[in-house]
Amino acid sequence: MALIVHKYGGTSMGTTERIRNVAKRVIKWVNAGHQVVVVPSAMSGETNRLLGLAAELEPKERGSNTRRELDALAATGEQASSALLAIALQSEGQDAVSFTGWQVPVRTDSSYMKARIESIEGQRIRKELDAGRVVIVTGFQGIDSQGNITTLGRGGSDTSAVAIAAAIKADECLIYTDVDGVYTTDPRVVPNAQRLKTISFEEMLELASLGSKILQIRSVEFAGKYRVPLRVLSSFTPWDIDLAEEAQSGTLITFEEDAKMEKAVVSGIAFTRDEAKVSVLGVPDKPGIAHSILGAVADAKIDVDVIIQNLSKEGKTDFSFTVTRADYDRTLKLLNEKVLPQLGEGTSTVGNPHISKVSIVGIGMKSHAGVASTMFRALSQEGINIQMISTSEIKTSVVIDEKYVELAVRALHTAFGLDGDSAIEVPKRNDEK
Amino acid sequence: MALIVHKYGGTSMGTTERIRNVAKRVIKWVNAGHQVVVVPSAMSGETNRLLGLAAELEPKERGSNTRRELDALAATGEQASSALLAIALQSEGQDAVSFTGWQVPVRTDSSYMKARIESIEGQRIRKELDAGRVVIVTGFQGIDSQGNITTLGRGGSDTSAVAIAAAIKADECLIYTDVDGVYTTDPRVVPNAQRLKTISFEEMLELASLGSKILQIRSVEFAGKYRVPLRVLSSFTPWDIDLAEEAQSGTLITFEEDAKMEKAVVSGIAFTRDEAKVSVLGVPDKPGIAHSILGAVADAKIDVDVIIQNLSKEGKTDFSFTVTRADYDRTLKLLNEKVLPQLGEGTSTVGNPHISKVSIVGIGMKSHAGVASTMFRALSQEGINIQMISTSEIKTSVVIDEKYVELAVRALHTAFGLDGDSAIEVPKRNDEK
């Protein structure tokens, strides 16, 4: 008997028929002798419907008081879907009880709309499990120390599920979603992308932060911190497929050192679109210069991603960074009006709102030279110019012209031996192809 | 400066435009120097939408565990509308904060779907009011001693509003609704029915229990218990009408003894349709006979209204009572199969599924003879046969054939001098017309 947390996304909870199927799937696990906690998202479309109503009424400037109310509003979506799932389980003869974030309680800080979980009380959940019930806990939400309702931001139900799994020391957390696992890259770009049977926690963290939308990044961080075995799998298989098969399906995010030894040097390729590059040219090369530029950008709440400072020539340097495309105009305006006057004569800005970032990720990189050179050679062979480079222990990112993004992803997928005929096999080491 | 509770029904909260108008009306009261607590219902249609989803999933038998989930589900409607109203107020420049039932907290018993309020903590509400905020409290819901969400049943937001007004010792509780007050009878039946400027608590209680749907009866009971001045008024006047005019509009439910002295003997006429009459004939007239009949009916959870036992003749009597029409067939079947065999030879049943109850209500009746005779004469003049009579200190009800109900109501409205040209004047005493 194991203690398992199931998380179901909004699409899986989208209709009463689908909720009934979730109930049947959960009961299959219970009948196999497991204790199950379920964390459902709101029915698909519900959060948007609620926030759409709010948008018709909202003040122009969202203060903390308005964000508080938006959280109280949005939290109703998960409360409703959780109650409906409990009713569906009861209807199928399975005793079940739903809890909201405040009933557990799931304690968070007070950052409305992007709260962070601080602690979860597992006692009430365990008590109900031991009484033979399926326990349903609303995803996405908690309460702060003042008893206000908070939400964790989009995708926050993933984080709720992992955090609850950590709190009750679950044996595994299963994220049921509308894809059947983690792929070597986006199958819409590379049709013969392969599903990974396992991926290391560090790699998953990089993939999540580099644009893969499969898991909210904070859920991966939580899994890492508390070492919660996490599996991403499809909720669109028939509910009555063999449990042993289902339990091994999808992609398992692991923490085992030996698991990584069998892994490819590069496990996956991530990419983002909708980025923009901004450069400040002719900057005097002296201490504090990065802060004088990026400090102003940070003060304007603009997130910066890749940052590059060129070699200095004649006491001058060029300073480049990327921002999301939505922030591009605002960033250039800020630099021209606020920053350049402070930097002095001879400085100027230049930008490109149509760039993309492509990243290779693999824990095997740590110990393998030649990975970057394989990457650069593959891109060069396709005539793709690399505009910026950024590296960490287990990833290498390049910034390129947006129009080459698919070409670059496909070339790298082949160069690192990730192409496959089936979507089941794990890619093998192949960094010198 | 006064402390006022506003309650808005689902129709008044039905669209974002209407929610904005509620916000403007509330701000008008704040700008006049008042502290305001608002209790909104769910947006019209929302509770039905939620329970409709549940109906697609519900087990055949609703146990307490399912009723618990239905309450968690239904409570989201008011949580959402409360947050939306707070946002609308903020958007209009008025600081506001919404609280759910559990945040206040509003403590109830554990009778899901028909919980009763046990206590309300007014401290947090008062603190926020004193900080210059409008406080919004979700109607319809609370928590039990175990921290489970409960709801008060349909129309429960009226009761929430009155209970909150009692808890914070509000000067007045204004029930904004889609009618502009309490009328001498239903204006759809009697076009020249008059709006009452005031009505006594006792009369309102009788009207609410006799079929008037303006206020949930428990809200009137609460108002009586805690002597909360209660006003029913229209939410469909323009929000910017003069506040002094608005504050005097509608109908005030009073507790003042001297107020009643100016009142008519009969204040209003209530009626119910959809009732049925059942009689057991030839019953042996001996002790315990009423229990042997009504006990079986009560065990079957059938509600009985008017009960009449005829004079005994030759040791036999007839026993009649009314039930709702939906229970008619079930009641007759129960009597024939379970009760008659115990009563012995010579007993039989007869029934009429098409009867109505018409009631005259007035605190002035206590001290006035001749009221009943005026009633019976008026009905007799229209050729309406009275099948049953039931009286209390301040009301007299008659059961008549359903087809005469409008005729009876109009005849009585005239006979007791309630007809008027305008809907503003209070009817004067006129019991000897």
Side-chain angles (χ1 to χ4, degrees), chain B residues 148-176:
Chain B
N148 298 304
I149 298 169
T150 55
T151 72
L152 310 181
R154 285 283 163 139
S157 291
D158 290 343
T159 305
S160 300
V162 176
I164 289 162
I168 62 173
K169 298 186 171 47
D171 297 291
E172 199 166 307
C173 179
L174 307 183
I175 309 284
Y176 288 88

mmCIF file of all heavy atoms in Angstrom, chain B residues 148-176:
data_model
loop_
_atom_site.group_PDB
_atom_site.id
_atom_site.type_symbol
_atom_site.label_atom_id
_atom_site.label_comp_id
_atom_site.label_asym_id
_atom_site.label_seq_id
_atom_site.Cartn_x
_atom_site.Cartn_y
_atom_site.Cartn_z
ATOM 1 N N ASN B 148 -16.367 23.033 8.829
ATOM 2 C CA ASN B 148 -16.979 22.718 7.541
ATOM 3 C C ASN B 148 -17.842 23.884 7.074
ATOM 4 O O ASN B 148 -18.462 24.577 7.884
ATOM 5 C CB ASN B 148 -17.860 21.477 7.660
ATOM 6 C CG ASN B 148 -17.072 20.247 8.055
ATOM 7 O OD1 ASN B 148 -16.106 19.875 7.381
ATOM 8 N ND2 ASN B 148 -17.453 19.633 9.171
ATOM 9 N N ILE B 149 -17.874 24.099 5.750
ATOM 10 C CA ILE B 149 -18.720 25.145 5.186
ATOM 11 C C ILE B 149 -20.178 24.683 5.213
ATOM 12 O O ILE B 149 -20.475 23.554 4.844
ATOM 13 C CB ILE B 149 -18.297 25.456 3.738
ATOM 14 C CG1 ILE B 149 -16.862 25.989 3.706
ATOM 15 C CG2 ILE B 149 -19.266 26.437 3.086
ATOM 16 C CD1 ILE B 149 -16.263 26.068 2.315
ATOM 17 N N THR B 150 -21.061 25.579 5.649
ATOM 18 C CA THR B 150 -22.493 25.268 5.674
ATOM 19 C C THR B 150 -23.249 26.355 4.924
ATOM 20 O O THR B 150 -22.744 27.467 4.774
ATOM 21 C CB THR B 150 -23.023 25.238 7.121
ATOM 22 O OG1 THR B 150 -22.684 26.494 7.739
ATOM 23 C CG2 THR B 150 -22.414 24.108 7.923
ATOM 24 N N THR B 151 -24.440 26.039 4.449
ATOM 25 C CA THR B 151 -25.298 27.090 3.890
ATOM 26 C C THR B 151 -26.651 27.065 4.585
ATOM 27 O O THR B 151 -27.037 26.068 5.202
ATOM 28 C CB THR B 151 -25.496 26.957 2.369
ATOM 29 O OG1 THR B 151 -26.333 25.838 2.094
ATOM 30 C CG2 THR B 151 -24.175 26.818 1.636
ATOM 31 N N LEU B 152 -27.341 28.200 4.465
ATOM 32 C CA LEU B 152 -28.543 28.423 5.269
ATOM 33 C C LEU B 152 -29.825 28.087 4.526
ATOM 34 O O LEU B 152 -30.907 28.330 5.037
ATOM 35 C CB LEU B 152 -28.606 29.889 5.706
ATOM 36 C CG LEU B 152 -27.348 30.479 6.343
ATOM 37 C CD1 LEU B 152 -27.598 31.927 6.737
ATOM 38 C CD2 LEU B 152 -26.924 29.677 7.554
ATOM 39 N N GLY B 153 -29.716 27.564 3.319
ATOM 40 C CA GLY B 153 -30.921 27.280 2.542
ATOM 41 C C GLY B 153 -31.301 28.471 1.684
ATOM 42 O O GLY B 153 -30.815 29.583 1.878
ATOM 43 N N ARG B 154 -32.170 28.214 0.724
ATOM 44 C CA ARG B 154 -32.590 29.250 -0.213
ATOM 45 C C ARG B 154 -33.116 30.484 0.513
ATOM 46 O O ARG B 154 -33.880 30.347 1.469
ATOM 47 C CB ARG B 154 -33.692 28.709 -1.145
ATOM 48 C CG ARG B 154 -33.150 27.770 -2.202
ATOM 49 C CD ARG B 154 -32.473 28.545 -3.323
ATOM 50 N NE ARG B 154 -31.628 27.645 -4.105
ATOM 51 C CZ ARG B 154 -31.544 27.676 -5.434
ATOM 52 N NH1 ARG B 154 -32.234 28.555 -6.134
ATOM 53 N NH2 ARG B 154 -30.753 26.854 -6.071
ATOM 54 N N GLY B 155 -32.688 31.647 0.055
ATOM 55 C CA GLY B 155 -33.118 32.876 0.708
ATOM 56 C C GLY B 155 -32.327 33.175 1.966
ATOM 57 O O GLY B 155 -32.605 34.129 2.679
ATOM 58 N N GLY B 156 -31.317 32.352 2.236
ATOM 59 C CA GLY B 156 -30.581 32.488 3.485
ATOM 60 C C GLY B 156 -29.806 33.781 3.631
ATOM 61 O O GLY B 156 -29.452 34.168 4.743
ATOM 62 N N SER B 157 -29.549 34.467 2.517
ATOM 63 C CA SER B 157 -28.812 35.727 2.624
ATOM 64 C C SER B 157 -29.596 36.772 3.409
ATOM 65 O O SER B 157 -28.999 37.624 4.060
ATOM 66 C CB SER B 157 -28.466 36.258 1.230
ATOM 67 O OG SER B 157 -27.508 35.428 0.616
ATOM 68 N N ASP B 158 -30.929 36.725 3.336
ATOM 69 C CA ASP B 158 -31.742 37.615 4.178
ATOM 70 C C ASP B 158 -31.393 37.390 5.642
ATOM 71 O O ASP B 158 -31.183 38.343 6.404
ATOM 72 C CB ASP B 158 -33.239 37.325 3.994
ATOM 73 C CG ASP B 158 -33.764 37.738 2.637
ATOM 74 O OD1 ASP B 158 -33.094 38.529 1.952
ATOM 75 O OD2 ASP B 158 -34.856 37.266 2.270
ATOM 76 N N THR B 159 -31.360 36.121 6.024
ATOM 77 C CA THR B 159 -31.069 35.782 7.410
ATOM 78 C C THR B 159 -29.645 36.198 7.786
ATOM 79 O O THR B 159 -29.416 36.729 8.874
ATOM 80 C CB THR B 159 -31.271 34.270 7.624
ATOM 81 O OG1 THR B 159 -32.592 33.932 7.215
ATOM 82 C CG2 THR B 159 -31.080 33.891 9.077
ATOM 83 N N SER B 160 -28.690 35.979 6.875
ATOM 84 C CA SER B 160 -27.316 36.422 7.138
ATOM 85 C C SER B 160 -27.285 37.907 7.440
ATOM 86 O O SER B 160 -26.641 38.351 8.387
ATOM 87 C CB SER B 160 -26.425 36.162 5.910
ATOM 88 O OG SER B 160 -26.379 34.805 5.584
ATOM 89 N N ALA B 161 -27.961 38.682 6.604
ATOM 90 C CA ALA B 161 -27.931 40.138 6.754
ATOM 91 C C ALA B 161 -28.499 40.561 8.104
ATOM 92 O O ALA B 161 -27.917 41.392 8.805
ATOM 93 C CB ALA B 161 -28.700 40.804 5.608
ATOM 94 N N VAL B 162 -29.633 39.981 8.479
ATOM 95 C CA VAL B 162 -30.263 40.357 9.742
ATOM 96 C C VAL B 162 -29.395 39.919 10.915
ATOM 97 O O VAL B 162 -29.215 40.662 11.882
ATOM 98 C CB VAL B 162 -31.675 39.741 9.837
ATOM 99 C CG1 VAL B 162 -32.291 40.050 11.199
ATOM 100 C CG2 VAL B 162 -32.571 40.268 8.718
ATOM 101 N N ALA B 163 -28.817 38.714 10.800
ATOM 102 C CA ALA B 163 -27.984 38.211 11.893
ATOM 103 C C ALA B 163 -26.732 39.072 12.067
ATOM 104 O O ALA B 163 -26.303 39.349 13.184
ATOM 105 C CB ALA B 163 -27.601 36.754 11.631
ATOM 106 N N ILE B 164 -26.154 39.493 10.941
ATOM 107 C CA ILE B 164 -24.972 40.359 11.020
ATOM 108 C C ILE B 164 -25.355 41.712 11.619
ATOM 109 O O ILE B 164 -24.639 42.262 12.459
ATOM 110 C CB ILE B 164 -24.326 40.507 9.632
ATOM 111 C CG1 ILE B 164 -23.656 39.187 9.242
ATOM 112 C CG2 ILE B 164 -23.313 41.656 9.599
ATOM 113 C CD1 ILE B 164 -23.364 39.044 7.776
ATOM 114 N N ALA B 165 -26.505 42.233 11.185
ATOM 115 C CA ALA B 165 -26.979 43.499 11.748
ATOM 116 C C ALA B 165 -27.138 43.383 13.259
ATOM 117 O O ALA B 165 -26.771 44.290 14.011
ATOM 118 C CB ALA B 165 -28.302 43.899 11.088
ATOM 119 N N ALA B 166 -27.655 42.227 13.718
ATOM 120 C CA ALA B 166 -27.816 42.013 15.160
ATOM 121 C C ALA B 166 -26.451 41.957 15.838
ATOM 122 O O ALA B 166 -26.245 42.563 16.887
ATOM 123 C CB ALA B 166 -28.596 40.726 15.410
ATOM 124 N N ALA B 167 -25.508 41.237 15.202
ATOM 125 C CA ALA B 167 -24.197 41.028 15.825
ATOM 126 C C ALA B 167 -23.427 42.331 15.983
ATOM 127 O O ALA B 167 -22.712 42.523 16.965
ATOM 128 C CB ALA B 167 -23.382 40.035 14.997
ATOM 129 N N ILE B 168 -23.553 43.227 15.011
ATOM 130 C CA ILE B 168 -22.792 44.479 15.096
ATOM 131 C C ILE B 168 -23.664 45.622 15.616
ATOM 132 O O ILE B 168 -23.244 46.762 15.629
ATOM 133 C CB ILE B 168 -22.164 44.862 13.730
ATOM 134 C CG1 ILE B 168 -23.252 45.108 12.673
ATOM 135 C CG2 ILE B 168 -21.188 43.785 13.253
ATOM 136 C CD1 ILE B 168 -22.687 45.662 11.361
ATOM 137 N N LYS B 169 -24.886 45.284 16.040
ATOM 138 C CA LYS B 169 -25.819 46.271 16.581
ATOM 139 C C LYS B 169 -26.043 47.415 15.592
ATOM 140 O O LYS B 169 -25.907 48.603 15.917
ATOM 141 C CB LYS B 169 -25.310 46.814 17.915
ATOM 142 C CG LYS B 169 -25.189 45.715 18.977
ATOM 143 C CD LYS B 169 -24.822 46.292 20.331
ATOM 144 C CE LYS B 169 -24.916 45.266 21.448
ATOM 145 N NZ LYS B 169 -24.264 43.970 21.133
ATOM 146 N N ALA B 170 -26.377 47.026 14.362
ATOM 147 C CA ALA B 170 -26.627 48.018 13.317
ATOM 148 C C ALA B 170 -27.903 48.795 13.615
ATOM 149 O O ALA B 170 -28.811 48.297 14.283
ATOM 150 C CB ALA B 170 -26.736 47.321 11.959
ATOM 151 N N ASP B 171 -27.952 50.020 13.130
ATOM 152 C CA ASP B 171 -29.145 50.842 13.346
ATOM 153 C C ASP B 171 -30.309 50.391 12.475
ATOM 154 O O ASP B 171 -31.468 50.533 12.849
ATOM 155 C CB ASP B 171 -28.804 52.308 13.065
ATOM 156 C CG ASP B 171 -27.767 52.832 14.027
ATOM 157 O OD1 ASP B 171 -28.112 52.978 15.217
ATOM 158 O OD2 ASP B 171 -26.618 53.055 13.616
ATOM 159 N N GLU B 172 -29.986 49.859 11.286
ATOM 160 C CA GLU B 172 -31.061 49.378 10.421
ATOM 161 C C GLU B 172 -30.473 48.393 9.422
ATOM 162 O O GLU B 172 -29.305 48.484 9.033
ATOM 163 C CB GLU B 172 -31.737 50.552 9.688
ATOM 164 C CG GLU B 172 -33.123 50.202 9.133
ATOM 165 C CD GLU B 172 -33.926 51.443 8.715
ATOM 166 O OE1 GLU B 172 -34.083 52.369 9.544
ATOM 167 O OE2 GLU B 172 -34.389 51.468 7.555
ATOM 168 N N CYS B 173 -31.300 47.438 9.016
ATOM 169 C CA CYS B 173 -30.909 46.471 7.995
ATOM 170 C C CYS B 173 -31.817 46.680 6.787
ATOM 171 O O CYS B 173 -33.034 46.553 6.890
ATOM 172 C CB CYS B 173 -31.059 45.056 8.551
ATOM 173 S SG CYS B 173 -30.618 43.771 7.365
ATOM 174 N N LEU B 174 -31.219 47.054 5.657
ATOM 175 C CA LEU B 174 -31.995 47.348 4.453
ATOM 176 C C LEU B 174 -31.915 46.162 3.491
ATOM 177 O O LEU B 174 -30.818 45.794 3.053
ATOM 178 C CB LEU B 174 -31.456 48.598 3.757
ATOM 179 C CG LEU B 174 -31.313 49.863 4.603
ATOM 180 C CD1 LEU B 174 -30.839 51.036 3.730
ATOM 181 C CD2 LEU B 174 -32.640 50.223 5.268
ATOM 182 N N ILE B 175 -33.060 45.568 3.192
ATOM 183 C CA ILE B 175 -33.107 44.441 2.262
ATOM 184 C C ILE B 175 -33.492 44.993 0.889
ATOM 185 O O ILE B 175 -34.664 45.243 0.610
ATOM 186 C CB ILE B 175 -34.137 43.388 2.721
ATOM 187 C CG1 ILE B 175 -33.919 42.994 4.178
ATOM 188 C CG2 ILE B 175 -34.131 42.182 1.775
ATOM 189 C CD1 ILE B 175 -32.757 42.079 4.433
ATOM 190 N N TYR B 176 -32.496 45.206 0.023
ATOM 191 C CA TYR B 176 -32.767 45.682 -1.335
ATOM 192 C C TYR B 176 -33.167 44.489 -2.195
ATOM 193 O O TYR B 176 -32.443 43.494 -2.273
ATOM 194 C CB TYR B 176 -31.529 46.338 -1.937
ATOM 195 C CG TYR B 176 -31.192 47.687 -1.341
ATOM 196 C CD1 TYR B 176 -30.382 47.792 -0.223
ATOM 197 C CD2 TYR B 176 -31.702 48.854 -1.916
ATOM 198 C CE1 TYR B 176 -30.078 49.036 0.324
ATOM 199 C CE2 TYR B 176 -31.396 50.102 -1.380
ATOM 200 C CZ TYR B 176 -30.585 50.194 -0.263
ATOM 201 O OH TYR B 176 -30.287 51.414 0.274
#
